[in-house]
């Protein structure tokens, strides 16, 4: 397993949001991460100013590729907050076509960088509310399965479904192309039993978000919520998970962004090593 962080966690908080693209600091984040021996970053992209995001411009991708090579950092995954903010599976008509085209353009952009996993958040505004929305999502993504495969990409879903319902949902999707993002904090906030979750879809997990939340509550510092990290890491090991552990952790409101990430990085590494889980740089 490898430990990384969600883009923006080493940058000043913008508009009091826990997560947003760090427009003024994304280059510096890569350099800061490298200097502190953190070599994995998960990119984030918002619907606002979508096509200004460096990932979606030729010049931006050139700079991304230069910086990750120069700093020996990898950006293997992307959280598509844009899909949650403006979900194509809930849209209609020309607007729907536009959003679906955005998704396709993001696929091609990821192929031109090191990104190989694209996360679609089916939570909050992106939460699936009925069978019609679920079918819209399945029909569109199934029609793009060949393209996703040809681009050597994978798509994973973060969902608020119960373990049994999420199993039923993901079982319709091709295992080679689609998987699950397991968000530790979200599961603890919803009161899900990790043993049941892993029993239902443990073999479909291809990305993990590390955060902590109390039952029914919002993100808190690691260890202050209801997440059972020892149990979850044991289950990840049991299911032979060998992907990334992305710190999507609570923010520092005293601007100690690097210190907080380094603290959480050490906490996660200590838990893993205690369970005889190997942590590697890449």
């Amino acid at each position: 397993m490898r430990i990384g962080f969600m883009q923006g966690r080493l940058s000043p908080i913008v508009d009091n949001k826990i997560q947003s693209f760090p427009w003024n600091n994304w280059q510096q984040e890569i350099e800061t991460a490298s200097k502190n021996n953190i070599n994995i970053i998960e990119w984030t992209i918002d619907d606002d100013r979508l096509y200004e995001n460096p990932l979606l411009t030729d010049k931006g991708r050139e700079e991304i590729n230069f910086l990750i090579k120069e700093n020996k950092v990898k950006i293997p995954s992307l959280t598509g907050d844009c899909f949650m903010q403006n979900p194509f599976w809930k849209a209609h008509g020309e607007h729907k076509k536009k959003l679906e085209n955005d998704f396709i353009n993001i696929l091609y952009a990821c192929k031109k960088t090191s990104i190989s996993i694209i996360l679609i958040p089916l939570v909050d505004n992106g939460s699936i509310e009925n069978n019609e929305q679920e079918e819209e999502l399945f029909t569109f993504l199934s029609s793009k399965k060949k393209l996703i495969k040809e681009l050597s990409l994978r798509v994973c879903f973060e969902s608020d479904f119960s373990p049994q319902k999420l199993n039923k949902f993901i079982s319709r999707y091709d295992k080679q192309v689609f998987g699950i993002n397991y968000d530790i904090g979200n599961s603890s906030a919803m009161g899900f039993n990790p043993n049941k979750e892993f029993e239902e879809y443990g073999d479909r997990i291809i990305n993990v978000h590390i955060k902590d939340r109390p039952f029914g509550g919002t993100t808190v510092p690691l260890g202050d919520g209801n997440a059972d990290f020892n149990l979850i890491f044991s289950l990840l090991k049991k299911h032979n998970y060998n992907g990334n552990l992305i710190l999507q952790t609570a923010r520092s409101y005293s601007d100690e962004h690097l210190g907080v990430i380094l603290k959480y990085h050490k906490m996660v590494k200590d838990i893993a090593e205690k369970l005889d889980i190997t942590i590697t740089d890449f």
Side-chain angles (χ1 to χ4, degrees):
M1 301 185 201
R2 295 157 297 276
I3 304 172
F5 70 97
M6 180 68 66
Q7 187 183 42
R9 288 307 198 271
L10 291 182
S11 297
I13 296 172
V14 179
D15 296 332
N16 209 34
K17 296 177 183 176
I18 194 169
Q19 184 167 303
S20 61
F21 181 76
W23 290 100
N24 299 322
N25 208 52
W26 69 269
Q27 299 100 325
Q28 184 60 46
E29 271 202 335
I30 295 174
E31 295 171 5
T32 300
S34 176
K35 289 175 182 176
N36 288 276
N37 299 313
I38 305 176
N39 304 310
I40 300 290
I41 302 173
E42 185 162 299
W43 199 265
T44 183
I45 189 165
D46 296 310
D47 186 61
D48 181 46
R49 299 172 64 187
L50 178 68
Y51 284 94
E52 295 177 42
N53 190 291
L55 182 67
L56 288 171
T57 70
D58 291 334
K59 183 180 178 183
R61 286 191 295 272
E62 184 178 335
E63 190 171 8
I64 293 168
N65 288 329
F66 170 79
L67 286 171
I68 61 177
K69 184 178 180 181
E70 185 78 5
N71 291 280
K72 298 180 181 177
V73 165
K74 285 190 176 181
I75 304 175
S77 53
L78 169 145
T79 282
D81 283 341
C82 56
F83 308 132
M84 175 180 65
Q85 293 155 356
N86 214 340
F88 54 80
W89 53 97
K90 296 186 181 184
H92 303 280
E94 291 302 313
H95 183 52
K96 179 182 180 67
K97 291 179 183 177
K98 187 265 181 192
L99 295 177
E100 290 175 342
N101 191 57
D102 290 344
F103 176 82
I104 293 168
N105 287 337
I106 289 171
L107 293 182
Y108 282 111
C110 288
K111 176 62 178 177
K112 295 174 181 176
T113 62
S114 62
I115 295 170
S116 60
I117 294 176
I118 298 168
L119 191 160
I120 298 179
L122 305 178
V123 296
D124 299 329
N125 190 56
S127 182
I128 292 178
E129 302 161 314
N130 52 54
N131 289 336
E132 180 185 354
Q133 292 173 8
E134 185 173 341
E135 288 304 314
E136 289 289 343
L137 180 67
F138 178 73
T139 299
F140 173 71
L141 290 178
S142 295
S143 73
K144 301 305 171 190
K145 182 178 75 171
K146 183 179 178 182
L147 173 62
I148 296 168
K149 210 169 183 177
E150 287 174 349
L151 295 175
S152 301
L153 301 172
R154 298 183 77 187
V155 170
C156 66
F157 304 99
E158 182 176 307
S159 170
D160 53 12
F161 284 161
S162 68
Q164 188 174 12
K165 190 171 182 180
L166 185 51
N167 180 349
K168 186 178 178 182
F169 169 87
I170 196 62
S171 65
R172 301 177 67 192
Y173 287 85
D174 186 331
K175 194 171 186 178
Q176 290 186 311
V177 182
F178 301 95
I180 296 294
N181 177 78
Y182 184 69
D183 188 298
I184 296 175
N186 290 356
S187 287
S188 65
M190 289 183 278
F192 294 152
N193 182 329
N195 285 303
K196 182 65 174 174
E197 291 178 301
F198 277 79
E199 177 187 319
E200 293 287 352
Y201 57 78
D203 63 333
R204 299 299 300 267
I205 296 171
I206 62 173
N207 199 55
V208 172
H209 281 176
I210 304 284
K211 68 169 176 268
D212 204 353
R213 294 173 61 180
F215 177 66
T218 189
T219 304
V220 296
L222 294 190
D224 288 358
N226 284 57
D228 188 339
F229 290 101
N230 288 310
L231 172 59
I232 291 164
F233 275 55
S234 296
L235 290 166
L236 287 169
K237 180 181 180 181
K238 179 181 177 182
H239 284 263
N240 299 312
Y241 179 75
N242 63 355
N244 298 318
L245 307 167
I246 302 297
L247 297 167
Q248 197 188 31
T249 42
R251 300 302 309 269
S252 166
Y253 287 90
S254 57
D255 292 326
E256 296 292 331
H257 307 294
L258 175 59
V260 165
I261 285 295
L262 291 177
K263 174 186 174 183
Y264 293 148
H265 188 284
K266 185 179 186 304
M267 288 175 68
V268 171
K269 190 172 183 180
D270 287 348
I271 294 169
E273 291 180 346
K274 183 174 67 175
L275 295 169
D276 199 27
I277 295 171
T278 301
I279 298 294
T280 61
D281 290 335
F282 289 118

